[in-house]
């Protein structure tokens, strides 16, 4: 049996000014051909799970591409065609099945629905090919995606610590299909609800209940997979929204029944998917007043590169410095130029930098605003380390040349490639012991929990500035369907 296994992942923030070209994918760690298998075999990714299943069955394995980039603006056509073209060409060469590790919120510059376009192209050259798909919890599910695959599933955790598990689950469904043991059918639905990612943590309500409903459904006879997608509201595309897909063994009525139950539960809780803002100054003052023997986590969520931000907005850092918080570690500020200046100065040197603020954000009407800051060059590294926590386990992180600036009260990790801090390695790789800091200021939303939740004595969200803002009033939506909640008040759907 010959199987094609591929990864093509990007969460597109259409409000982000960060360019998504092929170099952005290769900078994260994207590979073609045999290199794809070599770099992701043994990792806790769906790609890794697919490889294990296929290897155990003695399949001939073809890995045309394993590509992922940190969230950013729309994917350029050339980058998209590099990935999609490699996958479609591998299918054209002949195979018995395809197992795809996708995201579900990829917007290309030439098509809003990057995953749907890929699957449509595969179906055009292989109409009867069994295709299994994993998607991120933030997938904006579309009809093109469902109509052009055999079985589709999404992560049930945010932070995403079950990627291998769901890959194995849907991979087994596909191989059972090939063996004639099951006949998958899918029913899906999409709500006019722009759920905010800051309100999608699966340990929190309302997602906790919806995930429990999915897990309960999967225990029912005949149900092969049940998924609720929170969606990604920062992708301004017609299909953005909360969705549900159910896979059953040749029982469309059961799939539709479960789908409708979960969609109704989500819609009833729609107000709970909207974040309530608080003044930045008050939140920092609250943090300063806290007395804990251990880290208080401060979330600069509006500048979270894991949702497509620039990672160089200094608003929150400036306020924390202004209010005099002590013993703070920051991860991370994106500023390759500052890293170069610190490299030239050398470890132990005192430098004054115009840090961050190098990227304008026209979608929210903000220009970059650097912060002049003085400190000692504490550490210089190449920025490479391996995730050892529960998320992206075994994957090598490449932050690019990296430096630590020590102001006395604050140690700032400065990187040359974007990276969201979901693993403590972002600190330990540069000599910082996060568990011994009073404050950890993280440019993250929810993924930080994977590595840092066990350390946190308290957590505060700090409402700063950036293109991952949770304030819908700042975003000029042009393409989402209308009416849609919460941009519009809808009483019935």
């Amino acid at each position: 049996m010959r199987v094609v296994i591929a990864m093509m992942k990007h969460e597109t923030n259409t409000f982000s000014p960060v360019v998504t070209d092929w170099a952005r994918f290769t900078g994260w760690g994207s590979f073609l051909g045999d290199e794809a298998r070599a770099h992701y075999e043994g990792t806790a990714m769906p790609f890794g799970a697919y490889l294990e299943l296929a290897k155990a069955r003695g399949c001939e394995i073809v890995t045309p591409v394993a590509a992922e980039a940190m969230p950013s603006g729309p994917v350029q056509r050339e980058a998209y065609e590099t990935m999609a073209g490699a996958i479609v060409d591998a299918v054209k060469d002949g195979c018995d099945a395809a197992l795809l590790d996708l995201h579900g919120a990829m917007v290309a510059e030439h098509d809003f629905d990057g995953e749907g376009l890929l699957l449509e192209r595969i179906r055009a050259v292989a109409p009867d090919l069994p295709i299994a798909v994993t998607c991120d919890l933030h997938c904006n599910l579309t009809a093109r995606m469902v109509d052009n695959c055999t079985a589709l599933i999404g992560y049930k955790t945010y932070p995403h610590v079950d990627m291998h598990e769901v890959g194995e689950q849907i991979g087994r469904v596909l191989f059972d299909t090939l063996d004639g043991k099951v006949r998958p059918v899918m029913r899906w639905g999409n709500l006019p609800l722009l759920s905010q990612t800051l309100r999608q943590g699966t340990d929190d309500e309302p997602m906790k209940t919806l995930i429990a409903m999915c897990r309960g459904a999967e225990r029912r006879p005949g149900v092969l997979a049940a998924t609720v997608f929170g969606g990604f509201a920062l992708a301004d595309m017609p299909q953005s929204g909360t969705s549900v897909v159910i896979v059953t063994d040749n029982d469309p009525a059961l799939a539709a029944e479960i789908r409708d139950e979960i969609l109704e539960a989500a819609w009833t809780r729609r107000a709970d998917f909207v974040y309530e803002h608080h003044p930045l100054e008050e939140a920092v003052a609250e943090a300063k007043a806290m007395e804990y023997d251990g880290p208080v986590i401060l979330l600069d969520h509006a500048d979270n590169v894991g949702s497509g931000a620039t990672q160089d907005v200094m608003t929150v850092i400036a306020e924390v410095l202004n209010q005099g918080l002590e013993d703070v570690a920051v991860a991370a500020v994106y500023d390759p130029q500052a890293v170069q200046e610190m490299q030239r100065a050398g470890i132990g040197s005192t430098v004054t930098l115009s840090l961050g603020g190098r990227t304008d954000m026209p979608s929210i009407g903000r220009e970059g605003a650097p912060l002049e800051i003085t400190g000692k060059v504490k550490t210089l590294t190449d920025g490479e380390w391996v995730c050892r926590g529960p998320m992206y386990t075994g994957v090598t992180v490449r932050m690019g040349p990296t430096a630590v600036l020590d102001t006395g009260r604050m140690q700032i990790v400065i990187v040359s490639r974007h990276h969201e801090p979901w693993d403590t390695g972002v600190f330990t790789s540069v000599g910082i012991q996060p568990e011994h800091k009073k404050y950890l200021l993280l440019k993250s939303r929810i993924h930080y929990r994977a590595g840092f939740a066990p350390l946190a004595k308290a957590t505060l969200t700090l409402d700063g500035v950036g293109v991952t803002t949770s304030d819908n009033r700042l975003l000029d939506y042009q393409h989402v369907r209308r009416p849609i909640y919460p941009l519009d008040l809808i009483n019935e759907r």
Side-chain angles (χ1 to χ4, degrees), residues 304-467:
N304 167 35
V305 70
S307 294
T310 60
Q311 205 178 6
D312 68 348
V313 180
M314 304 301 292
T315 305
V316 170
I317 292 172
E319 184 61 29
V320 168
L321 287 170
N322 183 57
Q323 293 201 31
L325 276 64
E326 301 278 353
D327 197 21
V328 184
V330 179
V333 173
Y334 171 75
D335 193 335
Q337 183 174 324
V339 173
Q340 293 173 10
E341 292 178 34
M342 295 171 72
Q343 288 175 327
R344 287 193 292 268
I347 291 176
S349 301
T350 297
V351 295
T352 298
L353 304 171
S354 291
L355 183 61
R358 301 190 188 277
T359 313
D360 294 337
M361 297 169 283
S363 67
I364 59 171
R366 302 290 294 240
E367 295 182 353
L371 177 68
E372 185 170 296
I373 190 167
T374 299
K376 183 173 70 175
V377 181
K378 182 74 173 178
T379 310
L380 297 170
T381 77
D382 64 3
E384 290 199 10
W385 49 277
V386 177
C387 288
R388 301 300 183 192
M391 183 172 166
Y392 278 78
T393 312
V395 173
T396 298
V397 172
R398 297 171 175 83
M399 301 188 299
T402 297
V404 176
L405 182 71
D406 191 342
T407 72
R409 293 186 299 189
M410 179 182 286
Q411 291 182 326
I412 306 173
V413 180
I414 308 170
V415 297
S416 299
R417 290 189 183 131
H418 294 109
H419 176 67
E420 181 181 358
W422 60 65
D423 189 285
T424 55
V426 72
F427 287 123
T428 58
S429 66
V430 294
I432 296 173
Q433 295 177 295
E435 67 272 22
H436 297 303
K437 289 293 180 180
K438 184 170 183 181
Y439 300 101
L440 299 175
L441 201 170
L442 306 176
K443 287 182 178 285
S444 180
R445 290 184 187 272
I446 302 291
H447 278 326
Y448 79 93
R449 295 179 184 179
F452 294 96
L455 306 181
K457 299 299 174 62
T459 302
L460 293 173
T461 52
L462 305 185
D463 298 341
V465 176
V467 295

Side-chain angles (χ1 to χ4, degrees), residues 147-392:
D147 291 347
N148 290 290
C149 71
T150 306
L152 183 148
I153 195 173
Y155 310 151
K156 290 182 175 66
T157 60
Y158 182 29
H160 309 322
V161 296
D162 65 337
M163 291 187 282
H164 186 280
E165 176 185 330
V166 298
E168 183 177 18
Q169 181 179 346
I170 209 67
R172 291 191 184 280
V173 169
L174 192 73
F175 284 121
D176 284 348
T177 302
L178 290 167
D179 293 340
K181 296 178 180 179
V182 297
R183 294 177 60 191
V185 297
M186 293 187 285
R187 293 294 182 267
W188 77 287
N190 185 301
L191 293 172
L193 168 60
L194 282 178
S195 165
Q196 294 172 337
T197 52
L198 198 57
R199 301 290 299 132
Q200 292 179 12
T202 51
D203 290 329
D204 311 327
E205 293 295 353
M207 285 297 291
K208 184 176 181 179
T209 292
L210 301 180
I211 294 297
M213 292 179 72
C214 289
R215 293 193 185 280
E218 289 181 339
R219 291 192 289 270
R220 296 176 63 172
V223 178
L224 304 176
T227 303
V228 57
F229 292 111
F232 188 57
L234 293 169
D236 182 13
M237 58 180 285
Q239 301 90 348
S240 287
T242 301
S243 58
V244 172
V245 61
I246 309 297
V247 189
T248 62
D249 182 9
N250 198 31
D251 193 339
L254 177 61
E257 174 191 332
I258 297 170
R259 173 203 63 194
D260 292 343
E261 289 174 356
I262 299 173
L263 286 173
E264 184 59 36
W267 183 250
T268 300
R269 301 288 297 274
R270 60 191 177 278
D272 295 333
F273 284 104
V274 181
Y275 173 71
E276 296 182 8
H277 287 260
H278 307 281
L280 174 60
E281 297 81 3
E282 292 180 11
V284 174
E286 181 182 350
K288 186 176 182 180
M290 289 181 170
E291 296 182 5
Y292 288 103
D293 181 21
V296 173
I297 291 182
L298 309 176
L299 298 175
D300 186 2
H301 64 92
D303 193 33
N304 167 35
V305 70
S307 294
T310 60
Q311 205 178 6
D312 68 348
V313 180
M314 304 301 292
T315 305
V316 170
I317 292 172
E319 184 61 29
V320 168
L321 287 170
N322 183 57
Q323 293 201 31
L325 276 64
E326 301 278 353
D327 197 21
V328 184
V330 179
V333 173
Y334 171 75
D335 193 335
Q337 183 174 324
V339 173
Q340 293 173 10
E341 292 178 34
M342 295 171 72
Q343 288 175 327
R344 287 193 292 268
I347 291 176
S349 301
T350 297
V351 295
T352 298
L353 304 171
S354 291
L355 183 61
R358 301 190 188 277
T359 313
D360 294 337
M361 297 169 283
S363 67
I364 59 171
R366 302 290 294 240
E367 295 182 353
L371 177 68
E372 185 170 296
I373 190 167
T374 299
K376 183 173 70 175
V377 181
K378 182 74 173 178
T379 310
L380 297 170
T381 77
D382 64 3
E384 290 199 10
W385 49 277
V386 177
C387 288
R388 301 300 183 192
M391 183 172 166
Y392 278 78

